[in-house]
Amino acid sequence: MAGIYIHIPFCKQACYYCDFHFSTSLKKKGDLLSALKLELQLRKGELENQTIETIYFGGGTPSLLSNNEIQGLISEVYKNYQVAKNPEITLEANPDDLTKTKILELAKSPVSRLSIGIQSFFEEDLKQMNRAHTSQEAKACLEQATSYFDNITIDLIYGIPNMSIEKWDANLQTAFQYGVNHISSYALTVEPKTALETFIKKGQYPPIDDTLAQQHFNYLVSETQKHGFVHYEISNFGKPNYFSKHNTSYWQGKPYLGIGPSAHSFIGKTRSWNIANNSKYIKRIQDEILPSTSEELTNKDGYNEYVMTGLRTIWGVSLNKVEADFGVNFKTYLLTEAQKFIDKKLLEIDDSKATSITLKTTLKGQFLADGIAAELFMI
């Protein structure tokens, strides 16, 4: 089984915290869509013996595309790849694009899952982040979308400076009220060369408070559990049978093809990424030249990636898999380096299943998973 990610590099406006590749000009949209279809054709041999179980439209803002444009890309996948009977097809969408008409069109299309970028239900937060939608649009789109889609995930941001626990709770309770079955929630971070970084340096925006972010995270974990969500990955909370199949395939090391400018692919031990420039991407694809750079992962690279992704999930890091895939020396190294975190009750060994002994983060260690993983890397 494999997945296909399609990057739609267009947005109405730039969110202050975002460092993804996108353009606010739609002038090249037609050429870009043609290039996406051609890239799908050019690369069909890379997944020749694989069945596509997930298609994911990310961005950027894929909901800027018309229903016909979205269906045209889906059809191109079906023409060139072997697709599972009921694939998970996800469309990232902004609330201001999800009018009743748009939702009705999508409900009749092959799209089976919506990923809606809410971020906050408070107007002042949305303005501070330079989001294109309003609080009212966020609520209105959920009112409509939940009537036609069962499989919906929303994004929420925590760790916003000066956000009280009461305000964070109000965001969560609003999400629960609409009955969404999946929540992806991320701490506000300061990425290089973003407007947010500039504002903080100039004293125009308060610095990020890691202690506040951890308080919000702990509350998020507690509240989602009360409402029947499973915390299956550090930033992802889903009710049973509503985990993201596409994102889970990333964490479990399944192959995926990334289509579009800046998109990443992983097949076998090869990782590749496309050029992050719309004009250059279009030109090279038109010339039938793949605009990508690739690298072969070494044993050490593979081990480090597995530890990083494994510790972020409920499945943890299988010691059996580490030994089988990378060698007994890697397993010995992992256990030796992990002991200090086990002593601090940040990691634990789960031997409840005789067939698979795993290393996992504890509740106390979850928020620190990425930092802990980095300490376990083979340098």
Side-chain angles (χ1 to χ4, degrees):
M1 294 293 191
I4 292 180
Y5 171 86
I6 301 176
H7 189 75
I8 307 301
F10 301 112
C11 288
K12 289 179 181 176
Q13 60 194 54
C15 300
Y16 291 150
Y17 56 83
C18 182
D19 69 340
F20 293 159
H21 171 68
F22 66 91
S23 170
T24 54
S25 170
L26 299 180
K27 289 181 181 178
K28 297 182 183 294
K29 188 179 74 165
D31 289 340
L32 193 283
L33 292 175
S34 296
L36 293 175
K37 292 177 181 178
L38 183 52
E39 187 184 1
L40 282 166
Q41 297 168 26
L42 294 172
R43 300 184 68 185
K44 62 183 178 182
E46 295 181 43
L47 294 177
E48 193 171 17
N49 298 315
Q50 298 282 348
T51 298
I52 306 303
E53 63 178 344
T54 64
I55 302 169
Y56 193 101
F57 289 89
T61 311
S63 55
L64 283 175
L65 300 185
S66 70
N67 189 49
N68 286 340
E69 290 167 339
I70 294 166
Q71 296 219 53
L73 290 167
I74 295 173
S75 295
E76 201 64 40
V77 173
Y78 272 84
K79 287 178 191 174
N80 292 281
Y81 300 83
Q82 180 180 324
V83 182
K85 187 176 180 181
N86 293 302
E88 176 191 84
I89 303 181
T90 302
L91 180 81
E92 289 187 353
N94 276 355
D96 46 305
D97 295 325
L98 292 180
T99 61
K100 183 175 182 179
T101 300
K102 182 86 166 186
I103 291 168
L104 284 170
E105 289 177 346
L106 289 171
K108 295 175 183 176
S109 79
V111 172
S112 58
R113 183 172 183 267
L114 295 180
S115 176
I116 307 176
I118 300 290
Q119 315 310 355
S120 176
F121 289 102
F122 289 93
E123 199 66 36
E124 61 267 29
D125 296 338
L126 298 173
K127 288 179 179 178
Q128 284 186 341
M129 292 185 276
N130 201 39
R131 294 291 293 168
H133 69 277
T134 65
S135 174
Q136 182 55 40
E137 284 172 327
K139 295 173 182 176
C141 90
L142 283 178
E143 188 75 41
Q144 291 291 336
T146 52
S147 297
Y148 295 95
F149 281 87
D150 178 50
N151 201 349
I152 292 177
T153 179
I154 66 169
D155 287 352
L156 292 175
I157 290 180
Y158 62 87
I160 298 173
N162 303 320
M163 176 185 276
S164 65
I165 286 292
E166 290 75 19
K167 189 175 179 182
W168 177 228
D169 175 69
N171 265 324
L172 293 175
Q173 299 308 323
T174 302
F176 300 145
Q177 170 192 325
Y178 285 103
V180 296
N181 292 310
H182 191 286
I183 295 173
S184 294
S185 193
Y186 308 92
L188 182 65
T189 54
V190 185
E191 302 295 344
K193 299 179 181 179
T194 58
L196 181 60
E197 181 188 49
T198 300
F199 295 153
I200 290 176
K201 284 181 177 179
K202 291 182 176 180
Q204 297 171 342
Y205 192 86
I208 301 302
D209 184 344
D210 290 336
T211 301
L212 177 67
Q214 183 158 9
Q215 290 174 353
H216 286 173
F217 176 79
N218 292 341
Y219 192 80
L220 168 68
V221 171
S222 173
E223 285 301 302
T224 50
Q225 184 177 31
K226 289 178 186 176
H227 286 79
F229 289 79
V230 178
H231 186 197
Y232 70 104
E233 194 271 344
I234 293 300
S235 301
N236 287 275
F237 306 78
K239 291 186 178 178
N241 300 318
Y242 289 95
F243 296 1
S244 167
K245 292 180 182 178
H246 186 83
N247 290 337
T248 298
S249 72
Y250 291 163
W251 307 320
Q252 295 183 340
K254 293 182 181 180
Y256 59 90
L257 201 61
I259 301 296
S262 82
H264 284 234
S265 302
F266 177 70
I267 301 171
K269 291 189 175 182
T270 302
R271 184 173 303 286
S272 63
W273 54 95
N274 286 345
I275 190 168
N277 181 293
N278 290 357
S279 297
K280 291 180 179 179
Y281 167 81
I282 292 168
K283 178 64 170 64
R284 292 190 192 178
I285 290 293
Q286 287 173 340
D287 293 336
E288 298 193 3
I289 299 171
L290 294 179
S292 61
T293 303
S294 63
E295 64 177 1
E296 291 294 315
L297 298 186
T298 64
N299 218 28
K300 188 187 297 182
D301 293 333
Y303 161 82
N304 289 346
E305 287 205 4
Y306 178 55
V307 169
M308 171 64 80
T309 55
L311 286 185
R312 290 183 62 92
T313 72
I314 58 171
W315 302 287
V317 175
S318 167
L319 299 181
N320 307 57
K321 179 176 172 64
V322 170
E323 182 174 350
D325 291 0
F326 310 111
V328 67
N329 290 341
F330 282 86
K331 176 182 173 182
T332 302
Y333 175 84
L334 174 61
L335 286 172
T336 301
E337 296 300 311
Q339 191 58 52
K340 59 187 174 185
F341 297 108
I342 294 173
D343 293 341
K344 294 177 182 177
K345 300 193 183 311
L346 298 173
L347 292 177
E348 62 185 0
I349 298 288
D350 181 358
D351 57 2
S352 58
K353 295 180 181 178
T355 56
S356 180
I357 301 172
T358 55
L359 181 69
K360 299 180 177 181
T361 56
T362 62
L363 182 61
K364 181 181 175 184
Q366 284 177 344
F367 187 73
L368 306 172
D370 288 349
I372 294 171
E375 293 289 321
L376 303 179
F377 286 174
M378 183 78 79
I379 307 301

